[in-house]
């Protein structure tokens, strides 16, 4: 996968060869688990931002790359309703929903209306998995989530995609930011391979951060982390 084979959206990526949108780490139910005294409007925010991506890319397939749910142990009724609403929105957009299991998704098989995969392989050779463990499928390239990467620039944190041209066994890896807006993310500026939780990060210094500014409709591509450590 070269950088020309994917298009970066707001906390998601469109794979041109596969006509597929991939997002990761929705963590549905994080708001419910927060016990706050004001509404966080998690469901509508998720649906609204997905809708923008559907309108922009008109994908044939939408893959949720793990940690669809937040809680390990239980799925309250409002969270089930949110999951149904998300899957329904994909179908209403004319796309096929695909659910991939993450480390938080112990209850996903029980409550999902769709099959749940450990990994999903496209005919192009692209494998989508959550990234918390070695992939269940062998691919020519990998799209993962799990680590919630953000880039800090001048004191501001920006969710970022990380692109490693030969990161895992010589194959390219795209690591997505978390789709939920309720998680702060992990600043990757100074991180090295052992700081990442994903075994697909072999050499962190070769990963290029890519930031999408949805307000300006602009995509900013940065030098690899190994170079950025010296300037940021």
């Amino acid at each position: 996968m070269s950088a020309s084979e994917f298009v970066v959206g707001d906390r998601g990526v469109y794979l041109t060869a596969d006509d597929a949108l991939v997002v990761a780490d929705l963590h549905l139910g994080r708001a419910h688990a927060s016990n706050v005294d004001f509404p966080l409007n998690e469901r509508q925010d998720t649906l609204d931002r997905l809708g923008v991506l559907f309108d922009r890319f008109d994908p044939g397939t939408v893959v949720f790359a793990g940690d669809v749910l937040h809680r390990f142990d239980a799925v309250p009724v409002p969270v089930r309703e949110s999951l149904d609403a998300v899957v329904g929105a994909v179908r209403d957009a004319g796309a096929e929903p695909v659910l991939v299991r993450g480390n938080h998704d112990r209850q996903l098989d029980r409550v999902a209306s769709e099959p749940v995969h450990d990994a999903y392989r496209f005919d192009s050779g692209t494998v989508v998995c959550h990234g918390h463990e070695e992939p269940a499928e062998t691919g020519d390239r990998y799209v993962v989530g799990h680590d919630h990467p953000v880039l800090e620039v001048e004191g501001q944190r920006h969710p970022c995609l990380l692109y490693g041209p030969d990161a895992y066994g010589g194959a390219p890896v795209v690591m997505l930011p978390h789709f939920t807006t309720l998680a702060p993310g992990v600043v990757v500026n100074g991180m090295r391979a052992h700081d990442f939780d994903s075994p697909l990060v072999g050499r962190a210094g070769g990963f290029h951060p890519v930031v999408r500014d949805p307000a300006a409709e602009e995509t900013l591509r940065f030098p690899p982390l190994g170079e950025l450590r010296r300037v940021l």
Side-chain angles (χ1 to χ4, degrees):
M1 177 185 292
S2 68
S4 63
E5 293 176 292
F6 62 87
V7 182
V8 179
D10 182 18
R11 302 188 187 226
V13 67
Y14 177 72
L15 308 178
T16 54
D18 305 302
D19 186 25
L21 172 70
V22 186
V23 298
D25 297 285
L26 272 67
H27 285 274
L28 295 174
R30 187 180 179 95
H32 191 272
S34 298
N35 295 320
V36 294
D37 293 330
F38 58 92
L40 295 173
N41 206 22
E42 175 188 67
R43 182 188 306 173
Q44 195 58 52
D45 174 70
T46 301
L47 292 172
D48 288 347
R49 290 184 297 111
L50 283 172
V52 171
L53 294 174
F54 298 162
D55 290 343
R56 181 182 176 195
F57 296 119
D58 190 24
T61 305
V62 177
V63 185
F64 298 100
D67 284 3
V68 180
L69 303 176
H70 181 64
R71 287 183 58 177
F72 294 90
D73 57 341
V75 186
V77 170
V79 181
R80 297 187 193 190
E81 292 172 346
S82 293
L83 176 60
D84 290 342
V86 165
V87 171
V90 174
R91 292 206 173 278
D92 289 346
E96 183 71 19
V98 175
L99 300 176
V100 172
R101 183 182 291 102
N103 56 301
H104 278 249
D105 292 322
R106 296 176 184 172
Q107 302 295 323
L108 187 56
D109 290 271
R110 184 172 64 83
V111 298
S113 60
E114 307 291 327
V116 180
H117 307 264
D118 289 326
Y120 188 80
R121 192 180 196 277
F122 287 100
D123 291 340
S124 69
T126 298
V127 169
V128 180
C129 56
H130 184 55
H132 62 297
E133 58 187 9
E134 297 285 344
E137 297 272 357
T138 300
D140 299 323
R141 60 201 68 85
Y142 299 88
V143 181
V144 303
H146 186 54
D147 269 290
H148 298 199
V150 300
L151 186 69
E152 187 171 284
V153 181
E154 297 180 345
Q156 298 293 317
R157 294 185 174 191
H158 306 274
C160 70
L161 174 149
L162 294 176
Y163 169 58
D166 56 356
Y168 182 68
V173 172
V174 169
M175 177 180 285
L176 297 174
H178 46 300
F179 198 73
T180 176
T181 57
L182 301 180
V186 177
V187 176
V188 298
N189 295 49
M191 289 176 64
R192 300 182 184 274
H194 64 269
D195 297 314
F196 285 86
D197 287 335
S198 176
L200 286 90
V201 180
R203 189 175 63 86
F207 275 85
H208 296 251
V210 184
V211 173
R212 176 68 181 178
D213 183 344
E217 297 186 353
E218 183 179 16
T219 299
L220 306 174
R221 300 178 186 272
F222 291 82
L225 291 176
E227 294 181 24
L228 284 178
R229 293 187 195 116
R230 297 192 294 270
V231 298
L232 290 180

